[in-house]
Amino acid sequence: MIVRLIVYLVLGFCVWLPVLSLAQTQPANPAQASNIIVIKGHQFIPPQLTIPAGQKIQITVDNQDPTAEEFESFDLDREQVVEGNKKITVFIGPLKPGTYKYWADFHQDSKGVIVAQ
């Protein structure tokens, strides 16, 4: 009886350990891993970022240009400078479903949108 209990415990441990370790390596919000906006050639890449509505979201703005740029949005109530070859983190939300515009203040032809759905 004790041997059987030990065998069940060992088998249970062997089955659940890989499952638990896999669960710990996944991001809490799978969409969060891809919430990156790159500034390159004074343009936002991608020009449209889709995020889930109703959640606080972390966005990384990665300026790959050698000059500073500004991530600005009246819709999101954000205005942050991103130094050349630097990254910043921007927290937004929770947002209602809709489209939220942003632009580069130093190069105003650079524009993008965040779509919350």
Side-chain angles (χ1 to χ4, degrees):
M1 177 107 171
I2 293 178
V3 172
R4 184 181 294 171
L5 179 60
I6 292 171
V7 168
Y8 286 140
L9 287 172
V10 169
L11 287 174
F13 182 76
C14 292
V15 169
W16 285 106
L17 182 63
V19 172
L20 291 174
S21 65
L22 179 62
Q24 292 174 356
T25 60
Q26 298 300 318
N29 176 0
Q32 185 173 352
S34 62
N35 291 338
I36 299 172
I37 297 171
V38 174
I39 300 170
K40 190 168 187 174
H42 306 296
Q43 297 297 315
F44 290 110
I45 303 167
Q48 178 177 314
L49 180 66
T50 302
I51 63 169
Q55 295 181 22
K56 185 173 183 177
I57 301 294
Q58 175 181 327
I59 297 174
T60 300
V61 181
D62 180 3
N63 184 1
Q64 296 181 359
D65 287 339
T67 58
E69 191 53 82
E70 190 170 58
F71 177 85
E72 186 166 357
S73 173
F74 295 138
D75 296 344
L76 300 169
D77 192 27
R78 295 292 180 272
E79 181 177 10
Q80 289 185 258
V81 173
V82 189
E83 296 297 326
N85 297 310
K86 301 282 184 180
K87 298 178 185 180
I88 62 166
T89 301
V90 179
F91 291 95
I92 59 170
L95 299 175
K96 294 180 181 178
T99 300
Y100 301 83
K101 297 176 184 177
Y102 62 89
W103 62 91
D105 200 29
F106 300 151
H107 298 90
Q108 293 188 1
D109 58 329
S110 301
K111 298 176 183 175
V113 295
I114 292 175
V115 177
Q117 57 185 17

